[in-house]
Amino acid sequence: MRPIRRGDRGPAVTEIRSVLTRLDTSFPAGDLFDEETERAVRAFQQQRGLTVGGDVDEETWLALDAARWRLGARALFHAIPHPLIGEDVRTLQERLLEMGYDVGRPDSVYGTRTAKAVGQFQREVGLAPDGAFGPQTMNALRRLGRKVVGGRPQLLREAEAFRQSGPHLLGKTVVIDPGHGGPDQGIIVPDGPLRWTESELAFDLASRLEGRLAGAGMRVHLTRGPSPAARIPDKARAQLANDLHADLLISIHIDGYKTAEADGVATYHYGDGTSEGVTSTVAERLAGLVQREIVARTGLRNCHIHAKTWDLLRLTRMPAVRVEIGYLTSPHDRTRLVDPLFREQTIEAIVAAVQRMYFPVENDVPTGSIDVRQLRMAVAAGLPIKA
């Protein structure tokens, strides 16, 4: 869809302002996308962990559509192949998690795990366990308090499952996602007679990472080839990783901005960016390790880690991170990105971060201290990797 932005007028703007009015009663309805609307959209994007730009793109439109629903406003059920999505679903998932039911990650999607958890709750309170959330189930939920206290159960499950998988990379599955591809070239920058594109550089980095992690004993899959025929949406990339039962997903992008002064590296994990909001603690740790290793080994400016609710991070059932390696629009970063030796340094940093991810926290090693060449040698020799 074409982004809706300041100056636009029409039914779509009326709908946007209507949703914003429901979220904030002081915000008036109308059909003009004015400065006030843009400020409200920016605040909404910031609160929901979206890209903050002020325009309503497809990502923001879907989030606004989901935000219109409050728990109890409609019946919820597992619909195939188009599941119900909304803020009411996420509220239900978070409440069930607090009560000790395993719905997986609160992703606002009423899928199989959510329906199963609702059915389990219904069975325990004496209702027909049909997995649908209607008025009777809503009333039963209101009557009951939390069953689990002293921690966030889903985060504890995620961290414990990761810890029990062991410290070695051998046999683990990782999905590497080169951003964009095919008709979607991402950032494009002319440089004299040359033309640099984000999609090509991202695929080169992903291919190098594939080789390094495979050499360390991991099963590695890419979400796309060098030139796919059509654009691959993030939902499809997330579904591939889920279908492969991957242990990790690493998405590789290169950033860009309207001014050449912007530079540096940033890494993103799932979360809405608020102190009370849900996040993936395991992915947050991986994001921190990737960020620190790249900064230490390449000298790129540290733009830190951030929580986002992008589909690729929200819909994956394993720890997932997206790393933006430099700015193609920055002459300084671009000079380095087009250097194969720099790209090798970056890949070594990510491999080191992945290995550190599987070390127990108490046995972690200093940033920049892992020689990734030894990982491949140890695997080839059949030796264990020691923390």
Side-chain angles (χ1 to χ4, degrees):
M1 61 175 285
R2 181 187 74 82
I4 304 169
R5 52 175 59 96
R6 191 194 297 191
D8 288 346
R9 186 189 295 271
V13 178
T14 301
E15 187 63 26
I16 292 168
R17 292 178 66 96
S18 176
V19 174
L20 293 172
T21 301
R22 293 193 194 99
L23 299 176
D24 181 359
T25 54
S26 66
F27 188 83
D31 69 345
L32 175 64
F33 200 115
D34 54 11
E35 183 178 354
E36 183 182 23
T37 307
E38 183 178 295
R39 283 199 299 269
V41 168
R42 285 180 178 272
F44 175 82
Q45 291 169 328
Q46 180 72 39
Q47 182 185 37
R48 302 305 168 102
L50 306 172
T51 302
V52 180
D55 296 345
V56 178
D57 54 9
E58 183 178 7
E59 174 187 62
T60 304
W61 177 268
L62 292 174
L64 284 165
D65 184 61
R68 73 177 68 244
W69 299 107
R70 290 291 177 266
L71 189 61
R74 60 175 175 169
L76 298 173
F77 53 92
H78 184 206
I80 300 174
H82 303 295
L84 297 178
I85 299 174
E87 192 69 16
D88 51 347
V89 179
R90 173 170 160 163
T91 302
L92 173 62
Q93 290 171 329
E94 291 181 344
R95 183 67 190 278
L96 289 169
L97 282 170
E98 288 179 346
M99 298 176 69
Y101 298 98
D102 183 10
V103 301
R105 183 178 298 168
D107 57 6
S108 304
V109 180
Y110 204 96
T112 303
R113 292 180 73 174
T114 301
K116 183 178 179 180
V118 169
Q120 183 181 354
F121 168 75
Q122 291 169 324
R123 187 179 298 107
E124 292 183 4
V125 297
L127 299 176
D130 59 6
F133 188 81
Q136 286 186 311
T137 309
M138 179 70 183
N139 290 335
L141 190 68
R142 283 174 174 160
R143 291 194 300 267
L144 297 179
R146 295 174 62 181
K147 292 171 60 178
V148 177
V149 296
R152 303 180 68 175
Q154 174 57 22
L155 306 186
L156 296 174
R157 289 191 193 100
E158 189 179 67
E160 179 61 17
F162 204 84
R163 186 190 68 80
Q164 290 184 357
S165 69
H168 309 302
L169 300 185
L170 189 64
K172 293 181 172 66
T173 300
V174 59
V175 169
I176 303 171
D177 172 49
H180 306 279
D184 177 13
Q185 293 290 293
I187 306 297
I188 303 174
V189 176
D191 186 11
L194 303 175
R195 177 177 174 271
W196 303 106
T197 69
E198 178 184 1
S199 63
E200 291 175 350
L201 288 170
F203 186 79
D204 178 88
L205 286 160
S207 298
R208 293 170 187 266
L209 182 58
E210 176 188 27
R212 287 299 187 97
L213 291 177
M218 299 190 81
R219 293 191 291 265
V220 188
H221 303 269
L222 297 182
T223 59
R224 69 170 176 90
S227 185
R231 176 181 174 273
I232 305 173
D234 281 352
K235 286 184 178 179
R237 298 171 193 246
Q239 187 60 52
L240 173 65
N242 290 338
D243 291 344
L244 291 169
H245 303 288
D247 297 291
L248 295 175
L249 180 139
I250 300 171
S251 184
I252 297 176
H253 287 251
I254 298 164
D255 219 332
Y257 198 60
K258 57 187 176 183
T259 64
E261 287 75 22
D263 65 343
V265 56
T267 310
Y268 301 87
H269 62 91
Y270 175 68
D272 63 11
T274 65
S275 58
E276 300 84 11
V278 66
T279 188
S280 169
T281 51
V282 177
E284 184 176 4
R285 180 173 179 239
L286 176 59
L289 291 171
V290 168
Q291 182 71 16
R292 293 197 299 273
E293 287 286 350
I294 290 178
V295 170
R297 292 171 186 259
T298 68
L300 284 173
R301 184 191 302 275
N302 187 357
C303 297
H304 306 289
I305 68 170
H306 307 274
K308 292 293 181 183
T309 58
W310 297 328
D311 282 348
L312 189 69
L313 306 178
R314 179 173 63 91
L315 299 177
T316 42
R317 293 196 291 266
M318 72 294 303
V321 299
R322 169 171 162 171
V323 55
E324 299 272 359
I325 305 170
Y327 282 71
L328 199 53
T329 49
S330 161
H332 174 264
D333 282 3
R334 184 167 64 251
T335 299
R336 306 192 69 192
L337 283 164
V338 301
D339 181 355
L341 292 178
F342 171 81
R343 297 200 293 273
E344 280 295 328
Q345 283 182 315
T346 304
I347 294 312
E348 287 188 359
I350 297 175
V351 174
V354 171
Q355 177 59 81
R356 288 178 64 188
M357 188 67 198
Y358 284 98
F359 288 160
V361 175
E362 62 273 16
N363 292 337
D364 197 9
V365 297
T367 298
S369 64
I370 291 180
D371 183 351
V372 299
R373 291 171 297 183
Q374 293 182 357
L375 300 179
R376 180 178 297 185
M377 293 170 59
V379 170
L383 300 174
I385 305 298
K386 297 182 179 180

